């Protein structure tokens, strides 16, 4: 009986360790996946946080760009963008375009809470007609896309993504 219990315990431990190893790889699995987002940053014109019509290409300029489609009521989005806002100085050489379909008031409230809306490299854009969401076929948020300085797709992720990985991909896109 003790031998059987020991074998079962060993199998459970090995299975658990394997599963934990699998989970630890999820943060980088999108890296190895085939990129399905548009290979070039699309150039939609959306209203910014001040209601001004703004071109995505215009705010991206020639810098590597982190494009994030989010929803402020999504706890994963809150966590991801909260983590980015805490380390915003590390993103100073890159443009961040944060896009949502939510009403303007909600976007402004969320941006105020993050404390990064006045950063010159951070751009909150409103996709009120869901043009960008349809173009990207956004099914889950946060949807994160990294584009290089030539507006070519470098990487894409869904869900919480390690800040170090985002910074590494942005840096590679200089």
């Amino acid at each position: 009986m003790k031998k059987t219990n020991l074998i079962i315990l060993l199998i459970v431990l090995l299975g658990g360790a394997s599963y934990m190893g699998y989970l630890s790889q999820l943060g980088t699995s999108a890296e190895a996946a085939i990129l399905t987002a548009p290979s070039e940053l699309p150039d939609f014109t959306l209203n910014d946080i001040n209601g001004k019509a703004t071109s995505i290409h215009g705010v991206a300029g020639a810098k590597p760009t982190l494009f994030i489609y989010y929803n402020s009521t999504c706890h994963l989005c809150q966590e991801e963008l909260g983590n980015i806002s805490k380390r915003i100085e590390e993103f100073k050489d890159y443009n961040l375009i944060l896009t949502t379909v939510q009403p303007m008031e909600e976007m402004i409230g969320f941006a105020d809470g993050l404390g990064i809306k006045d950063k010159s490299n951070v751009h909150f854009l409103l996709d009120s007609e869901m043009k960008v969401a349809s173009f990207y076929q956004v099914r889950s948020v946060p949807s994160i896309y990294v584009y290089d300085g030539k507006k070519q797709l470098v990487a894409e992720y869904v869900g919480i993504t390690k800040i170090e990985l985002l910074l590494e991909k942005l840096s590679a896109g200089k």
Side-chain angles (χ1 to χ4, degrees):
M1 177 102 166
K2 286 184 180 184
K3 190 174 185 178
T4 304
N5 287 343
L6 186 59
I7 291 173
I8 291 172
L9 179 63
L10 184 60
I11 290 171
V12 169
L13 288 175
L14 286 173
S18 297
Y19 183 68
M20 293 304 285
Y22 166 75
L23 289 178
S24 72
Q25 295 301 311
L26 287 181
T28 59
S29 64
E31 214 173 354
I34 296 173
L35 300 177
T36 58
S39 61
E40 184 175 328
L41 180 66
D43 191 19
F44 288 96
T45 297
L46 305 172
N47 286 334
D48 69 9
I49 204 159
N50 299 311
K52 178 183 170 196
T54 304
S55 158
I56 291 175
H57 275 199
V59 295
K63 289 183 177 181
T65 299
L66 184 62
F67 185 90
I68 301 177
Y69 206 93
Y70 75 95
N71 183 310
S72 67
T73 61
C74 162
H75 72 281
L76 296 175
C77 298
Q78 293 167 358
E79 185 174 337
E80 183 72 25
L81 294 177
N83 290 338
I84 288 171
S85 70
K86 289 175 189 168
R87 296 176 61 179
I88 196 65
E89 286 305 311
E90 295 176 66
F91 289 89
K92 70 182 183 302
D93 295 330
Y94 314 112
N95 282 312
L96 281 68
I97 301 175
L98 310 174
T99 306
T100 187
V101 70
Q102 293 178 273
M104 181 67 80
E105 303 79 37
E106 289 181 32
M107 180 174 70
I108 292 170
F110 185 65
D112 284 340
L114 290 173
I116 59 173
K117 79 174 188 178
D118 295 326
K119 297 286 186 184
S120 63
N121 64 322
V122 178
H123 310 277
F124 286 88
L125 301 179
L126 181 61
D127 185 22
S128 59
E129 297 176 15
M130 295 187 71
K131 292 178 183 177
V132 175
S134 296
F135 186 77
Y136 275 99
Q137 298 180 1
V138 173
R139 290 184 179 85
S140 183
V141 289
S143 289
I144 303 169
Y145 310 94
V146 180
Y147 289 91
D148 66 16
K150 295 179 182 176
K151 299 175 182 62
Q152 297 301 304
L153 184 66
V154 174
E156 66 178 288
Y157 308 96
V158 175
I160 295 176
T161 306
K162 294 178 182 178
I163 302 300
E164 292 77 14
L165 182 59
L166 296 176
L167 289 166
E168 174 188 320
K169 294 299 181 181
L170 286 163
S171 178
K174 285 185 177 179

